[in-house]
Amino acid sequence: MPSYERLGALLDPASTVLLTVECQQGVVGPDSALPELAREARSSGALRNVARLVAAAHESGVQVIHAVAERRPDGRGANRNARLFRAAERLPVHQLTGSTAVRVAPPIEVAEEDFVVRRLHGLSPIHGTDVDALLRNLGCRTLIVTGVSANVAVPNAVFDAVNLGYTAVVPADAIAGVPAEYTPAMIRNTLALVATIATTDEVLGCLARARERR
C-alpha cells in the first residue's frame, strides 16, 4: 500500500475525481438482475465503502461522477456482439432508461453537484461516454475508481483512465466482483500493475488531511 505522503500527493481535491461504476439499483440493489454480484457488493462492505467515499468527496470538494449502464426499452443501439450482452437480454431485470433499476443505489447519496453519466452501449464507463471530456474540463489528474464489477467494468475503467493519461487510484475494498476470491486476484495480478491500490480508510484519511489544510 502507498504511503500517506505519496497517496496524499495524488489526491489533491482540486484535481481529483471520484468515479462510481454501475452502483445502480438494478445491479447492486435488492432487486438486482445480478443477485450474486449484489450480495457480494453488500456483504463485502464494498457498497458501504463507496458510499463513505462519496460522502467524503462531497465534504472535501472532490467531484463525483456516477457511471450508469442502461438500455432503451426497444434495445436500439445496444451491443449484441458478446455473450455478456446476449445474457443480459435474458435477465428478469433490465436496466431500462428512466426505471428504478438505473437509479444510484443506497446508501450512496447523489448530490446536486454530482454528474450522472449514462451509457447505452459497450462495457466501458469512460470510452464512448461524456466522462473523459468532463474529466478534462474539470482539470482532473487523478481518478478514483470504485464500484462493480471487478470482472469487467472496473478494470475497463482503470485501463481507459490510464490510456487517457489519468492516474488511477483503486480503493481495493470499494470494488466487488464474483466469485469473491476473484477480486483480490484481479487487484494483485492486474490492477496493481497500472493503478495505485489503497484502502477506503487510506483515501478517507488523505481527504480529511486535505480538508484540514484548507
Side-chain angles (χ1 to χ4, degrees), residues 89-103:
E89 291 183 341
R90 298 192 296 270
L91 294 173
V93 178
H94 292 150
Q95 316 298 322
L96 298 181
T97 301
S99 70
T100 300
V102 297
R103 295 178 186 169

Side-chain angles (χ1 to χ4, degrees), residues 136-188:
R136 294 189 184 283
N137 289 345
L138 291 163
C140 177
R141 297 180 62 187
T142 299
L143 185 66
I144 305 171
V145 180
T146 67
V148 297
S149 72
N151 304 75
V152 178
V154 167
N156 205 149
V158 172
F159 295 151
D160 283 349
V162 172
N163 284 334
L164 290 166
Y166 304 105
T167 296
V169 172
V170 178
D173 51 357
I175 67 171
V178 290
E181 60 270 20
Y182 181 77
T183 301
M186 164 60 77
I187 292 168
R188 181 175 60 254

Side-chain angles (χ1 to χ4, degrees), residues 39-158:
R39 284 193 298 271
E40 179 60 25
R42 291 177 176 276
S43 65
S44 68
L47 189 63
R48 180 177 63 86
N49 284 332
V50 175
R52 294 171 65 206
L53 288 163
V54 168
H58 291 157
E59 293 176 7
S60 305
V62 170
Q63 180 67 54
V64 178
I65 298 178
H66 305 280
V68 173
E70 58 182 47
R71 60 183 285 128
R72 287 166 47 122
D74 61 12
R76 289 175 68 86
N79 287 66
R80 294 180 177 84
N81 59 334
R83 176 181 168 194
L84 177 65
F85 302 122
R86 296 191 293 272
E89 291 183 341
R90 298 192 296 270
L91 294 173
V93 178
H94 292 150
Q95 316 298 322
L96 298 181
T97 301
S99 70
T100 300
V102 297
R103 295 178 186 169
V104 176
I108 299 168
E109 295 189 3
V110 180
E112 185 177 355
E113 64 268 22
D114 293 359
F115 290 103
V116 179
V117 176
R118 305 179 184 278
R119 78 176 193 275
L120 291 169
H121 62 87
L123 300 170
S124 175
I126 298 177
H127 178 72
T129 74
D130 290 338
V131 170
D132 180 38
L134 291 173
L135 294 177
R136 294 189 184 283
N137 289 345
L138 291 163
C140 177
R141 297 180 62 187
T142 299
L143 185 66
I144 305 171
V145 180
T146 67
V148 297
S149 72
N151 304 75
V152 178
V154 167
N156 205 149
V158 172

